[in-house]
Amino acid sequence: MGFFDMLSAEKRAEEAQAEDNELNADDMVSFMPDPSLAVTREEAMAIPSVSTCVGIIAGTMAALPVRLYRTRADGSVEEVVGDYRCRMLNGETGDTMTGPDMKYAVTEDFLMSDNGGHIYLDMYSRKNRIKTLRYIRSDSCACNIAGADAVVFKEKVYSAGGMTIHPSRMVHVLRASRDGVTGSSVVTQNAAALSVAYHTMLYERTMIGSGGFRPGFLQSTKRLGKKAMNALREAWARFVTSGGSRALVLNDGVVFKEASATSTEMQISELKKGNSLDISGIFHVPEQIIQAGSTEGAAKSARESYTRFCIIPICSQFEAALNEKMLLESEKEDHFFKFDLQELTKGNALERWQIHQIEKASGCRPVDEIRREENLEPLGIGYVNLGLNDVLLDPANGDLIIPNMGKAVNINDLPDSTDTGNEPPEGGDNDGGAA
């Protein structure tokens, strides 16, 4: 080997050593996720308080039966008993899912997906009648706006499973929609809050997975090259994640220095409680209901707040979608679907029977109607309670019924209360004076 060849070999070795000693930011510290990044639906559902709230709300909606009502000509409302559409919504859909399962899935999509919840109406080919109700996952159905003017005059077109679906065949339930095509899910509206809660959970998992090792750094008195740095970092990561079950031998001059505890680490428990309260407020589910796991064990004020601010708005969106797509054009004027919210009181037997007692005493409902609602055999009593102190008036014809006296009179036949029976004779005053 010549002299110049030796110089070239030494130069190449120095360049290789210099390249090995080049370090960047990724070599100095392990990658940590950015808490500012938005979480996905799956990541949000991994947060315990989120999955609990979604489960409570969806479970409540699944348990509420849907009724069909008709408005009579006189303005009174009666339930249409035995309609096949209610039977499908509450029981057998004709699909692989039951009615409660379908309502549970649609509610979850309504809350957690911008695409909302979808129910496909499978119709008979030659009959204006629904054959089956088929739930479609939110990520498997697309809704687009068709037409030249997509700002004012919007027309929707659905596609799922490789086929185009007419809007009249799709029950579409959206949350906080501005165009009737896409909504604004909880994940989208509260991305920052859910991201903080999710990364707090990841931080806690990392602390537990590390076997209680506090964060810190390794300090070396000698300069380490890139290969040595990578090897040391990988060995230390395996040692920490093993929970201390493995041994790690540090070379001379390499020492571990523990990092000081941050305020976030010291207040992790308070931070988790704050995140849980924020999430319960996002879903309008009182903290008492989350702790109890159901509405039955919560206070009455918490249940009323949950029903008013959480369940009723969701029911309104459902009912509007059902009335739009599942009613015939001839029925839309006087028929409507509605969730039976009385099922919410069935969790508390005492309150339920107190309500029945008030309804019976006030004459609002007969005994057999109440027994039928409680799945008890009717007694053949179709009467309503009336007190003997009540006076009944029929405004249409003016008939008065006085049960306490056993009389029935007409208000038009009663004498005028201003009539004293001393009317003056015609032609003059009755003052006793002379003409």
Side-chain angles (χ1 to χ4, degrees):
M1 179 181 297
F3 176 74
F4 293 101
D5 293 335
M6 294 178 60
L7 292 178
S8 299
E10 292 179 358
K11 184 176 182 180
R12 287 194 299 270
E14 292 177 357
E15 292 176 352
Q17 182 67 25
E19 182 179 355
D20 181 58
N21 290 334
E22 291 180 358
L23 300 174
N24 51 37
D26 291 338
D27 296 324
M28 299 297 294
V29 64
S30 299
F31 173 75
M32 295 296 292
D34 186 1
S36 64
L37 297 178
V39 297
T40 63
R41 172 178 175 175
E42 290 73 19
E43 291 172 342
M45 287 296 293
I47 304 172
S49 53
V50 172
S51 60
T52 300
C53 290
V54 173
I56 291 175
I57 297 173
T60 301
M61 294 299 298
L64 293 178
V66 180
R67 313 289 189 194
L68 178 62
Y69 296 93
R70 176 174 57 238
T71 305
R72 299 191 185 100
D74 59 356
S76 60
V77 177
E78 65 175 350
E79 181 183 353
V80 180
V81 181
D83 189 87
Y84 79 99
R85 290 164 291 189
C86 292
R87 186 172 63 252
M88 299 175 73
L89 289 169
N90 301 322
E92 185 178 358
T93 63
D95 195 8
T96 56
M97 303 178 69
T98 63
D101 291 336
M102 180 182 66
K103 287 183 285 186
Y104 188 103
V106 172
T107 303
E108 183 177 329
D109 289 342
F110 170 83
L111 294 171
M112 304 300 291
S113 173
D114 291 342
N115 291 334
H118 302 80
I119 302 175
Y120 174 66
L121 306 180
D122 184 17
M123 309 290 292
Y124 285 100
S125 58
R126 297 185 179 181
K127 296 181 181 180
N128 196 10
R129 183 182 174 93
I130 301 173
K131 183 179 180 181
T132 59
L133 299 178
R134 300 189 176 273
Y135 162 74
I136 302 178
R137 292 173 54 92
S138 60
D139 55 359
S140 301
C141 185
C143 180
N144 300 309
I145 297 179
D149 187 358
V151 178
V152 180
F153 302 98
K154 301 183 287 293
E155 296 180 3
K156 295 187 290 186
V157 176
Y158 294 92
S159 60
M163 65 177 183
T164 301
I165 301 174
H166 193 270
S168 62
R169 298 286 190 91
M170 186 69 72
V171 177
H172 194 189
V173 189
L174 289 170
R175 180 182 183 273
S177 177
R178 295 295 181 268
D179 54 8
V181 176
T182 58
S184 183
S185 66
V186 172
V187 179
T188 301
Q189 280 190 339
N190 306 275
L194 295 179
S195 178
V196 171
Y198 178 72
H199 288 93
T200 301
M201 183 184 66
L202 292 183
Y203 179 80
E204 185 180 23
R205 187 184 68 177
T206 302
M207 292 295 295
I208 296 176
S210 63
F213 284 99
R214 296 183 59 84
F217 52 90
L218 295 173
Q219 183 178 10
S220 175
T221 57
K222 300 179 181 179
R223 181 179 178 85
L224 299 178
K226 185 175 182 179
K227 292 181 179 180
M229 179 73 74
N230 292 335
L232 181 59
R233 184 176 58 180
E234 291 176 2
W236 182 259
R238 289 195 301 269
F239 171 70
V240 172
T241 55
S242 67
S245 59
R246 299 179 181 179
L248 178 66
V249 180
L250 298 178
N251 289 338
D252 184 22
V254 179
V255 294
F256 172 74
K257 290 191 175 182
E258 187 178 271
S260 59
T262 63
S263 58
T264 302
E265 181 182 351
M266 296 174 65
Q267 300 176 0
I268 188 68
S269 179
E270 289 77 7
L271 183 60
K272 287 177 58 181
K273 292 180 181 179
N275 292 338
S276 179
L277 289 175
D278 291 341
I279 291 173
S280 65
I282 290 171
F283 285 97
H284 301 289
V285 179
E287 185 69 16
Q288 292 183 359
I289 294 180
I290 296 178
Q291 294 175 355
S294 64
T295 58
E296 183 177 0
K300 183 179 180 180
S301 59
R303 295 197 304 272
E304 291 178 350
S305 176
Y306 170 67
T307 302
R308 180 179 178 183
F309 298 107
C310 179
I311 297 301
I312 291 181
I314 300 177
C315 289
S316 299
Q317 294 291 340
F318 260 90
E319 292 162 0
L322 295 177
N323 292 333
E324 180 185 5
K325 301 299 174 63
M326 295 188 66
L327 290 177
L328 300 175
E329 290 298 326
S330 59
E331 296 176 328
K332 289 186 177 181
E333 184 175 353
D334 55 1
H335 286 67
F336 58 93
F337 289 100
K338 197 168 187 64
F339 282 90
D340 188 358
L341 296 180
Q342 291 183 353
E343 296 294 321
L344 288 176
T345 62
K346 283 192 173 182
N348 191 308
L350 177 60
E351 289 186 5
R352 187 171 73 253
W353 284 104
Q354 287 176 343
I355 293 174
H356 291 333
Q357 184 179 6
I358 295 174
E359 292 172 339
K360 177 178 175 294
S362 61
C364 293
R365 303 179 70 185
V367 175
D368 280 355
E369 185 176 335
I370 296 175
R371 291 180 63 87
R372 190 177 298 109
E373 183 179 305
E374 294 293 334
N375 297 323
L376 299 175
E377 183 179 356
L379 301 176
I381 303 176
Y383 302 104
V384 296
N385 282 25
L386 290 176
L388 292 177
N389 61 325
D390 293 329
V391 177
L392 309 181
L393 170 65
D394 187 352
N397 52 28
D399 288 339
L400 279 174
I401 300 175
I402 309 174
N404 193 25
M405 300 178 62
K407 292 184 178 181
V409 296
N410 191 282
I411 193 173
N412 298 318
D413 297 335
L414 296 177
D416 190 355
S417 60
T418 62
D419 185 5
T420 62
N422 296 321
E423 295 183 0
E426 295 183 0
D429 297 330
N430 187 15
D431 56 0

